[in-house]
Amino acid sequence: MSTAAFIGLGVMGYPMAGHLAKAGLTVRVWNRTSAKSGQWANDYPGTSCATIAEAVKGADIVLTCVGADTDLKAVYEGDEGILANAPEGAVLVDHTTASASIAEHLAEAARRNGMGFVDAPVSGGQQGAENGKLTIMCGGSEADYAKAEPVMKHYARALNLMGPAGSGQKTKMVNQIAIAGLVQGLSEALHFAEQAELDVAKVVNVISKGAAQSWQMENRSGTMIAGEFEHGFAVDWMRKDLGICLEEARKVNASLPVTALVDQFYADVQSMGGKRWDTSSLIQRLRKFR
């Protein structure tokens, strides 16, 4: 796994590909906006490619990090896509947060072409990508995961194989479901403290030492109190993810009433102009509609 192609250089893919280049892999990158791949090649020891076919030719491992199911079909399928141009024996790793069904579809397509496939959505946000401390949840065969694991370790704090193809995506859904409820609960708690005219920072300092403690409280309560929402995963992206969760829930007959409600609360935040605010901005909705 010494030659890697990285497709998609957004806020996550850009530093992830950079970690591979700094680790000594031969890295070729492609991005839909060519200026971004050119800038990446200026920042890191790697090559910017004009086409996907050029990027994946001869690659041991091909990694993708794009927007959604439709973007995955665009980069994987067709005469210029990954499946038609990556070499037999390559392992394809997808870091996009997408549906389980597209992961299963791409895994089968890869198998027919003599390639491996691992769906490997990540958690940790832009900061985790930049610091090389992402949590990666994977779906695929043990053999494909064993080949991809040493490469992913260059930007992972934790990574695990969760089961067959699609299991990584389903685990990421669990992650997003949990976060949605936690952020809403924290928002309501802080809003209550404000309305009760308590010293909110002092309240957080006390309750964060007990059962109410969470990553969100430790890392986002201060900026929520200050009304600063430029620190992570955007509301637009969260709504995309929660839509995937709710669709999968219907397939597996799972009940997600809180998740569905919080999804609508995020729609309210979007209508307030907060599409690019981070997910902790749920508190602004409470402040506006109190």
Side-chain angles (χ1 to χ4, degrees):
M1 298 285 117
S2 62
T3 302
F6 207 106
I7 309 300
L9 299 175
V11 296
M12 302 293 287
Y14 197 100
M16 290 163 74
H19 286 298
L20 300 183
K22 289 190 291 185
L25 278 75
T26 299
V27 181
R28 299 192 294 267
V29 299
W30 178 90
N31 192 68
R32 184 164 50 191
T33 305
S34 59
K36 180 69 74 71
S37 58
Q39 181 60 50
W40 184 92
N42 287 331
D43 291 342
Y44 298 102
T47 304
S48 170
C49 297
T51 66
I52 292 174
E54 179 186 350
V56 305
K57 183 179 181 181
D60 301 309
I61 185 166
V62 178
L63 306 110
T64 52
C65 191
V66 294
D69 287 24
T70 52
D71 302 298
L72 285 171
K73 290 180 179 179
V75 300
Y76 274 90
E77 299 179 344
D79 292 342
E80 297 300 314
I82 295 167
L83 290 167
N85 292 281
E88 186 175 349
V91 176
L92 315 180
V93 177
D94 179 40
H95 289 305
T96 309
T97 296
S99 69
S101 59
I102 190 68
E104 293 162 356
H105 168 75
L106 293 176
E108 176 58 24
R111 187 193 63 78
R112 291 196 303 267
N113 284 271
M115 305 170 192
F117 181 85
V118 178
D119 56 291
V122 303
S123 179
Q126 183 176 352
Q127 184 176 9
E130 291 173 350
N131 294 333
K133 294 183 177 180
L134 292 168
T135 296
I136 309 177
M137 45 221 90
C138 301
S141 72
E142 291 186 5
D144 291 339
Y145 175 77
K147 293 177 182 177
E149 182 185 23
V151 176
M152 293 188 286
K153 278 186 174 179
H154 292 302
Y155 43 74
R157 176 178 61 182
L159 67 163
N160 295 94
L161 180 63
M162 308 308 298
S167 298
Q169 295 296 351
K170 291 175 183 176
T171 304
K172 179 62 183 290
M173 294 174 207
V174 175
N175 185 77
Q176 301 305 74
I177 292 164
I179 288 173
L182 284 170
V183 176
Q184 178 61 20
L186 178 59
S187 296
E188 291 183 16
L190 297 179
H191 176 61
F192 175 87
E194 291 173 348
Q195 292 301 105
E197 299 182 351
L198 295 169
D199 182 327
V200 186
K202 196 172 183 179
V203 168
V204 170
N205 184 57
V206 171
I207 68 172
S208 65
K209 305 301 189 295
Q213 189 276 340
S214 69
W215 186 97
Q216 297 292 338
M217 183 176 289
E218 291 289 335
N219 291 275
R220 291 289 177 262
S221 60
T223 52
M224 291 168 76
I225 294 166
E228 300 172 356
F229 307 110
E230 307 299 329
H231 301 278
F233 197 65
V235 167
D236 276 355
W237 300 340
M238 187 60 157
R239 286 217 72 204
K240 182 210 79 172
D241 289 3
L242 293 183
I244 293 170
C245 295
L246 294 168
E247 181 180 355
E248 189 68 23
R250 287 188 285 270
K251 293 179 181 178
V252 302
N253 196 30
S255 179
L256 304 180
V258 173
T259 303
L261 187 60
V262 174
D263 179 55
Q264 291 307 301
F265 291 165
Y266 277 124
D268 291 339
V269 175
Q270 288 175 318
S271 70
M272 292 165 55
K275 294 181 178 182
R276 303 300 297 176
W277 293 348
D278 70 61
T279 52
S280 68
S281 58
L282 281 173
I283 193 171
Q284 287 300 87
R285 176 187 172 277
L286 297 172
R287 288 167 174 159
K288 178 177 179 178
F289 295 116
R290 67 179 181 271

